[in-house]
Amino acid sequence: MLANMALQDEEAVGMTALDTRATTRPRRRAADVPPVDKVAARRSELAAAALKTLSELGYARTSLREIAQNSEFSHGVLHYYFRDKVDLITYCVREYNAQCVTRYDGVVATAATPEELAEGFLRKLGETLVDDAPLHRLWYDLRNQSMFEPAFHDDVAAIDRSLERMIWRIVSRYAELTGRTPLTGPAALYAVVDGLFQQALLRQLAGDPAAADDLRTAVGQLLPALLRPT
Amino acid sequence: MLANMALQDEEAVGMTALDTRATTRPRRRAADVPPVDKVAARRSELAAAALKTLSELGYARTSLREIAQNSEFSHGVLHYYFRDKVDLITYCVREYNAQCVTRYDGVVATAATPEELAEGFLRKLGETLVDDAPLHRLWYDLRNQSMFEPAFHDDVAAIDRSLERMIWRIVSRYAELTGRTPLTGPAALYAVVDGLFQQALLRQLAGDPAAADDLRTAVGQLLPALLRPT
DNA sequence: GGAAAGTCTTGACACTCGTCAAGACGGGTG
DNA sequence: CACCCGTCTTGACGAGTGTCAAGACTTTCC
């Protein structure tokens, strides 16, 4: 069994809480495979299948059996690696976050002029709008679920804050490069950019081929307006 | 039966398509009750129960039986007045829209100075954030569903456009009163305000008592920045 | 080798879902 | 009165849901 490794209260299998399991050394003597455990790998694998299914069908229409069918396992295994549906989706949301928040870090680090930063940011913004559209609509779906389902709230709020910081890093660096300061705080700035992105996503998924271009134009136009006039 | 009144193709009951039924005169000779029909009233009544249920539970967790339980009828009657679940929810979305788009019209019409307009707009914005929070989260939920379910797309897009026009009326009038012009088009303006409102809604529903105040502050701060500098 | 532990499948459970058909009820009209 | 028609309830159907237990298969350990 997996359950008796670390948790005594949890009645079920290896849980999310023991993501920090790397501390308890596995008793395998040598290290033919990385000791980070196959469990984490399986869980990641199943979470990937879940993310794929969720981003295609949306939260309301996604069932555990459908997720399992998008993996190479049967539906029972999901309850071996996750306590229940909420636990699985929470895990998915965390994985989504990890792949998201570093998207613009390269641009922020390398840009030497405000124009270069803006151009790099807009390019990546438009790219992810068309390339990762299903994933983004899933994020908005799950964030909305958190307004109804308190079980999701904490994880969703944490991710939203990390996205807020991501936007803040971009805009405050942009302001720095222009020698000015942002007009508002991180929350409002994020809300503005997120609103523009969400509207562009709606149009993108409706088949509007100009969605990405218009998003770039709008954000590019608004970016200077979000700085305090000198 | 209700079906044979106007539609021959529709296999079921009195449908949404015959909202314009007032043209075909009912064969009741006199007019003891308004000829606008009890049917439309019932449908409105059921839609109200559906809106209440949806705004409490969200799309994913709302069933027809639960809706019926929030009305004074049994679950079967829903299929007497609506073809199916999609038809019912579509009808609900339209009713929501009707009550929404006129919210700021009074302020826009009466305000004589930009400060008066801004102050009236921000007041009503904050009011509806706290008073109609469940309804607003439902709107965002359904708009997200339209990214997965094509059946919802057309109605949702139409409402989003009407909200866009609503915001445009406010901001363009605000610009007019200040003798300036909006920095961007209606779509981007709406996206910005909507993003701020959505973020405030998340905080409001999470119990943050400062959500409305912060929303008013942020929008009030951004409103002048969204006009072209003279 | 055999025993134990870990992993995965299968099949069932107790529900809930949307939909629909059969019929009950009630108020007008012949 | 009986009849009809619009309205509404009841109960069922098949399909799909999350969850879990029993066991089969695989790997690891002594």
Side-chain angles (χ1 to χ4, degrees), chain A residues 10 19 55 68 76-77 82 87 97 104 115 130 134 139 142 147 152 157 167 177 179 185 192 200 203 207 214 223:
Chain A
E10 303 292 346
D19 275 338
S55 68
V77 83
F82 299 95
D87 187 40
N97 181 43
Y104 309 101
E115 293 77 18
V130 309
W139 159 245
L142 293 178
M147 293 199 283
F152 292 155
I167 295 297
L177 287 173
V192 166
R203 291 176 51 193
D214 290 354
L223 212 46

Side-chain angles (χ1 to χ4, degrees), chain A residues 92-180:
Chain A
C92 288
V93 166
R94 293 213 188 93
E95 290 233 333
Y96 162 82
N97 181 43
Q99 101 175 59
C100 233
V101 287
T102 64
R103 178 170 290 126
Y104 309 101
D105 285 0
V107 183
V108 172
T110 64
T113 70
E115 293 77 18
E116 192 183 341
L117 175 54
E119 196 244 351
F121 170 47
L122 294 185
R123 181 165 32 82
K124 283 219 163 283
L125 196 67
E127 276 174 19
T128 194
L129 178 76
V130 309
D131 295 344
D132 310 322
L135 209 57
H136 288 300
R137 75 177 165 186
L138 168 62
W139 159 245
Y140 289 118
D141 193 6
L142 293 178
R143 190 172 70 175
N144 266 113
Q145 297 306 319
S146 83
M147 293 199 283
F148 296 97
E149 179 93 50
F152 292 155
H153 173 264
D154 288 354
D155 284 287
V156 164
I159 292 183
D160 222 28
R161 277 192 300 271
S162 83
L163 292 172
E164 178 183 311
R165 284 192 296 270
M166 177 186 77
I167 295 297
W168 177 251
R169 265 177 270 137
I170 298 166
V171 178
S172 62
R173 175 63 178 154
Y174 177 77
E176 190 183 4
L177 287 173
T178 60
R180 296 158 71 188

Side-chain angles (χ1 to χ4, degrees), chain A residues 15-78:
Chain A
M15 288 296 86
T16 317
L18 91 193
D19 275 338
T20 57
R21 181 188 348 79
T23 57
T24 73
R25 281 290 162 195
R27 56 233 192 279
R28 201 195 288 109
R29 73 289 291 290
D32 46 353
V33 294
V36 283
D37 265 42
K38 282 180 63 175
V39 174
R42 267 282 176 283
R43 237 194 303 226
S44 242
E45 196 178 346
L46 293 171
L51 274 173
K52 175 169 155 57
T53 312
L54 282 162
S55 68
E56 279 168 3
L57 302 180
Y59 175 81
R61 284 162 291 278
T62 294
S63 70
L64 294 180
R65 281 170 174 82
E66 194 78 28
I67 292 174
Q69 228 157 6
N70 273 11
S71 79
E72 50 178 338
F73 303 101
S74 68
H75 68 273
V77 83
L78 287 169

